[in-house]
Every structure is written in C-alpha cells, then in structure tokens.
Amino acid sequence: MRLADTRPPFAGLANLSEAALAALPTPCYLLDEARLRRNGEILLGVQQRTGCKILLAQKAFSNYDLYPVLAPYLAGTEASGLYESRLGREELPEKENHVFCAAYRADQFEELLQYADHIVFNSPHQLAKFGPAAKAAGKSVGLRVNPEYSTQEGHEIYDPCAPGSRLGTTRAQWDAAAAQHPDLPDLLDGLHFHTLCEQDSDALAATLPALEAKFGDLLPRMKWLNFGGGHHITRPDYDLATLEKCITGTQEKYGVQVYLEPGEAWALNAGYLITTVLDTLQNGETHLAILDMSAACHTPDVIEMPYRPPLLDAGEPGEKPCTFRLGGPTCLAGDVVGDYSFAAPLTEGDRLIFGDMAIYSTCKNNTFNGMPLPDIWVLHENGTTQPLARFGYHDFKYRLGSPR
C-alpha cells in the first residue's frame, strides 16, 4: 500500500486501494465519505454540548450527493443567493434554510421566499425594501452587521471588516437609517456577523467584545445571533473549548439562539484531486511538470487565496532530492500549483494526489481555455469508489451559447 501519508489531508486514503486508484480517470475529484462523516460527528458534538445550531455554508461545499451523509449532523444550510437556497430546500427539505446576499434582486425575491426560512439583509435599505414582505411570509429576518474589528493578516480579499467594506452594516450606518425609519428595528429577529476566514476560536473570542461594543444594546431584543463562517472547527488542533465558551456565554447573556455557518469545517480534508503528469521539462535550474489538471480552472483558490495545497508523499522544496514546479496545461503563465519535492524525479504518466480538495473546488471550477471539468467520484466508507458526475464537451459549449 503506497497510500501511507498520515497527514490529515490524506488520512482517509487508507481506505483506497492501489487498484481502485489506478481505475480512476484523471483529472477527477474524489470525495471522502468517511472523512465527511467524521467532520459531521465533531460538529454535532459542539451542537449537543452547547445548544447552538451549525449550518452548512454551501458556497464551500455543495456536492448534494453527499448531503445525506451530513444530514444527521447539520441543522440546515446557508445559501448565498437564490440557487443555493433552492438547492438546500430540494436536497434537505426537512432542515433549516438560511440565506444571506449582499443585495437581493426584486425579480427573484418572491421565489426565494419559497425556499428560505431565515433571510439576512446586508444593508438597512435592503431590509426596508424586502423585510416587510419577508415578515409577511412568516420568515425570520436578520441583518448582517460589521463590528469593524479585523482579525485578518495578509488576506485582505477575505476581510469583511476592511475599511470601505461592502459587507455588513456599521453602527453609524444603522443609527442613521434607524433615525430616518424608526420602524426598522421591529423587522429584526436576529443579527449576523461574518468576520473570520480559516481561523481558530481565539479570533472569535477577540471579535465578540467588539461586536458587543457596537451592537450589544440590540442583542436583548433578538431571537438569534449568527456567528457566521470561517471557523476551522474540524482542524485537528482547533480549540473547541474556547469556541464552546463563546457560544454558551453569548446564549446565556442575551437569551439568543446561536448559529454558526462554516463551510470548510464540514468538508475539511474530505476530498482529493487526482491528476496525471503529462510532460516534464527543465528551464534553467527549474524542473517542471505539466499536469492534466489546472490551478486556474480546477483549484482557483490556489491562485486567488493564494495557497499551496498539500500533495501526497511530497515535501517542501528541497526537502526531498527532486524538486519540481507543478503547473497546468493552460495558456496562463501563472497556472502554477506550486513547488514540491519528491524522492525520485517525476516522469510522464505518474499520478499525483492533492489533498483537501472537497472545499472551494467543484463549486468554483471553470472551463477557461476549454479545459474539461474533472469528473466527480466518491470514496465510500467500505473502500469502494463510485462516479457521481462526468463532464464533457457539451458542459463547456452550452454554458457559452444556445444548445443545438
């Protein structure tokens, strides 16, 4: 058994045999049923010990074939708009359905009311425009607030509290709107804040006092408070005790139902991207390998974040004898996954397995350069594999024009 890398992104591969691996097409995503279930068990434990409710943020993981695996553990889904809300209602009809969008469309809002039971608005203007209709339809209405307290370092693109942010209502904005429209507070059932990104509970513990300083006077009137996402709860070294103290302390102090809506935590280290080396070359001192997967197309967060994803049996540059720069076959010069070292030189036909590929991959991929979308497979808990979705030319063509 070659699949012996014990790092968390690859722990689930102990269930995958060499024969099953060899039978998979490349590139393909392989979703790990057992790791999804393990993440669900951790998140259920938090809910049982604290009384909070944890939602699945579908923006990070929306592979609905695996929703039945997560269903016993989650309270509901969190959507970023109409389509995700509909997906949550169709696939998990018995669960809560929450939605937040920076701005809702008037021509979609009536349909959205068919799916969502909790609707969070980004601004007082949107609250005033759509809130009465949501309340009349029996929905629970919330407002996303901005505590203006940043815990991000180096990832400004993911910082909702950056100066000039479009996300969330500041206290100054709220006070001005409430003074002009005194009936606005009566529309609210809850508040929502989302300020974290792949962070530990210490960042949440530091944010809560800032939230209370800005909006604490509103909380006693609320039924719920949503802590948002970005909580890396299922990471092995995550501080669960601090998280649970934050939850229980807030619920006891204000009498609110606390919600959390992580995306990554549900599917962290629960998927792989399997790829084949198409060619190797050398430019000066740099050894390169061209893969049949593309960072730009299949793992766009690698470029957008940016970050260097874990790779099975590979080390840091220079750690092992042979260092290669891995890249995709597209025309983008920056279509590079990163530099990795190996025990032996890579050769054409070698298979590589990237880890932690269940999150922000299938839901963000694209067909730039006419790149085919990777197939999606599942690794069942008994070690068998099964195809969930196969893609081809039609999936590329018909997102660009009329079917014919």
Side-chain angles (χ1 to χ4, degrees), residues 70-120:
L70 297 177
Y73 312 107
L74 53 78
T77 56
E78 167 65 31
S80 300
L82 176 64
Y83 287 174
E84 282 187 356
S85 184
R86 177 176 174 176
L87 181 66
R89 181 58 64 203
E90 288 179 347
E91 299 299 328
L92 293 165
E94 75 286 359
K95 300 291 186 178
E96 293 187 27
N97 189 300
H98 295 231
V99 61
F100 163 79
C101 186
Y104 296 100
R105 293 171 55 119
D107 60 348
Q108 294 181 347
F109 199 75
E110 185 175 349
E111 183 181 355
L112 181 66
L113 293 176
Q114 300 176 33
Y115 312 130
D117 45 60
H118 289 66
I119 301 178
V120 178

Side-chain angles (χ1 to χ4, degrees), residues 276-288:
T276 297
V277 176
L278 299 178
D279 192 17
T280 60
L281 56 152
Q282 185 172 349
N283 184 345
E285 298 298 315
T286 304
H287 294 269
L288 302 115

